[in-house]
Amino acid sequence: MSAPLRIGLLGASRIAELAIIEASRDTGDVRAAVAARDPERARVFASKHDFESSHADYEALIADESLDLLYIGLPNGLHAEWTVKALRAGRSVLVEKPFAANLGEFDVVAAELERARGWAWEAFHYADHPLMSRLLDVVRSGEIGELREVQVAMLMPSPPATDPRWNFELAGGTMMDLGCYAVNALLVLADALALPVSLATATGVPHEPDARLDASIAAELRLGDVPATLRASMVSAEWEFSYRVIGERGEVRSPNFVKPQEDDRLLVTVGSETREERTGTISSYAYQLRRIREALHAGERSAAELDRSRRTMELIDAIYTLSGFPLRPGSKELHDAATA
């Protein structure tokens, strides 16, 4: 095992508690520093979660050369902007999904990575858990037969009206918060089977207070010739983060592929028999942090992973366009750079 990372947080956020604070308790990485818009909030957060220090602002944090990894858990519309700033300061970054507000922003980040000393990873933590690896193994083994259909559902009750996920300028909306998981997970399966992915149809229901935002989205894609259904909603009556792969002889299903630490079951049905496999409730965030530590120390810069992140963003933009929603605006600074 390589040396622990010294980690700094941009944003004293709720998601940082899962992605870094709880995960680092498992991995042994060092909670080194925090910065927030309000310095006092950063100080309190640092004290509560046993960080060594807090910084006055984001700029001071990204200038801190004692840090090995910065975690960006800011609202979506700020992800790309601060990733670029951190890369320009020589830092490496774990940035919350989605990587950017739109494909143009993503390409600005990708261009920065070509000349950066550090690297950036998108936080699709679910893919690092053994549950996803085992699901892919079952599909590739031929146990359920030739692929016939894939279904992914990302559904949750509505966040409060003041939540940044309902803010268009901050790149909110259902596809940005939930649908990105479904798109990325379809690409993970498609890549494992060497299948191209295409978008066929997409429809959405607007968020009533701001019709630019999607309250729910339904899309039909194809993995090669295989139909794939994507459902995402932030106004559902219930929670559901499920992944189902149907073959000619059976199916494999995860009831909660995004949070296997809460439900690690993998259900494999062939004919009339269903087998339950357990893949372990160690946090997917801990698996993610361990992988990134090893990659960072080894100097790995995964072109394949970056390409999948780009295709994820490209499909999100395509789903928005096809369903009649505007693309998220993102950072004006990065937009100007992308269109210059």
Side-chain angles (χ1 to χ4, degrees):
M1 184 66 71
S2 58
L5 298 176
R6 290 181 54 77
I7 303 173
L9 301 186
L10 262 76
S13 60
R14 171 185 53 85
I15 189 62
E17 297 186 31
L18 293 171
I20 299 300
I21 294 164
E22 291 185 14
S24 65
R25 292 191 179 111
D26 286 333
T27 65
D29 292 297
V30 178
R31 297 185 292 279
V34 183
R37 286 179 298 171
D38 177 358
E40 177 60 17
R41 182 164 180 251
R43 188 194 66 76
V44 170
F45 191 93
S47 175
K48 177 181 178 182
H49 296 294
D50 299 320
F51 280 78
E52 293 176 353
S53 66
S54 63
H55 286 319
D57 52 36
Y58 299 154
E59 287 83 359
L61 187 78
I62 66 175
D64 185 345
E65 295 190 0
S66 77
L67 302 175
D68 300 305
L69 181 72
L70 302 186
Y71 172 74
I72 299 178
L74 303 172
N76 297 336
L78 302 176
H79 289 177
E81 176 182 344
W82 282 99
T83 297
V84 167
K85 289 178 178 178
L87 290 170
R88 288 175 179 169
R91 307 281 82 78
S92 288
V93 176
L94 172 61
V95 58
E96 259 311 318
K97 53 75 193 168
F99 221 129
N102 53 60
L103 185 59
E105 274 202 343
F106 178 90
D107 285 342
V108 173
V109 178
E112 195 65 39
L113 283 168
E114 291 181 3
R115 53 184 173 266
R117 185 171 81 239
W119 193 247
W121 295 267
E122 187 174 21
F124 281 119
H125 54 92
Y126 78 91
D128 288 306
H129 196 277
L131 184 146
M132 196 65 189
S133 298
R134 182 60 188 141
L135 184 149
L136 296 175
D137 287 344
V138 170
V139 175
R140 285 183 295 211
S141 74
E143 183 178 3
I144 64 172
E146 187 176 341
L147 202 60
R148 290 288 184 259
E149 185 180 355
V150 185
Q151 301 171 356
V152 188
M154 293 293 304
L155 315 174
M156 65 175 279
S158 180
T162 56
D163 193 287
R165 287 172 286 185
W166 289 133
N167 186 314
F168 180 76
E169 300 301 329
L170 291 176
T174 294
M175 277 305 301
M176 300 298 287
D177 188 60
L178 297 178
C180 61
Y181 278 117
V183 169
N184 190 265
L186 289 173
L187 288 171
V188 167
L189 176 62
D191 289 351
L193 300 175
L195 296 173
V197 177
S198 58
L199 175 64
T201 67
T203 59
V205 175
H207 178 51
E208 196 168 299
D210 186 344
R212 298 173 299 175
L213 291 164
D214 49 314
S216 64
I217 290 281
E220 298 291 335
L221 300 93
R222 299 193 79 79
L223 278 56
D225 295 326
V226 177
T229 302
L230 178 160
R231 294 185 297 129
S233 175
M234 287 205 300
V235 291
S236 174
E238 298 179 346
W239 294 83
E240 181 181 353
F241 297 156
S242 65
Y243 200 133
R244 184 184 183 200
V245 184
I246 303 168
E248 60 179 332
R249 293 198 299 270
E251 68 175 53
V252 57
R253 182 170 68 90
S254 167
N256 193 347
F257 78 100
V258 169
K259 293 184 176 182
Q261 53 267 32
E262 296 179 5
D263 185 349
D264 68 332
R265 290 176 299 155
L266 196 69
L267 305 172
V268 183
T269 300
V270 179
S272 60
E273 299 294 322
T274 297
R275 176 180 78 252
E276 178 181 292
E277 297 186 10
R278 293 284 183 166
T279 54
T281 55
I282 293 174
S283 167
S284 54
Y285 294 103
Y287 280 107
Q288 173 180 253
L289 193 52
R290 286 194 186 98
R291 176 179 64 86
I292 289 171
R293 179 168 73 191
E294 295 308 312
L296 198 156
H297 284 308
E300 294 177 6
R301 300 164 72 93
S302 174
E305 187 177 348
L306 187 65
D307 176 66
R308 185 182 299 139
S309 287
R310 188 182 193 280
R311 287 179 287 140
T312 299
M313 198 73 251
E314 185 175 31
L315 279 168
I316 290 171
D317 279 8
I319 289 170
Y320 272 142
T321 299
L322 194 56
S323 55
F325 291 97
L327 303 186
R328 314 295 94 160
S331 160
K332 184 179 185 304
E333 178 180 330
L334 292 190
H335 175 269
D336 291 345
T339 56

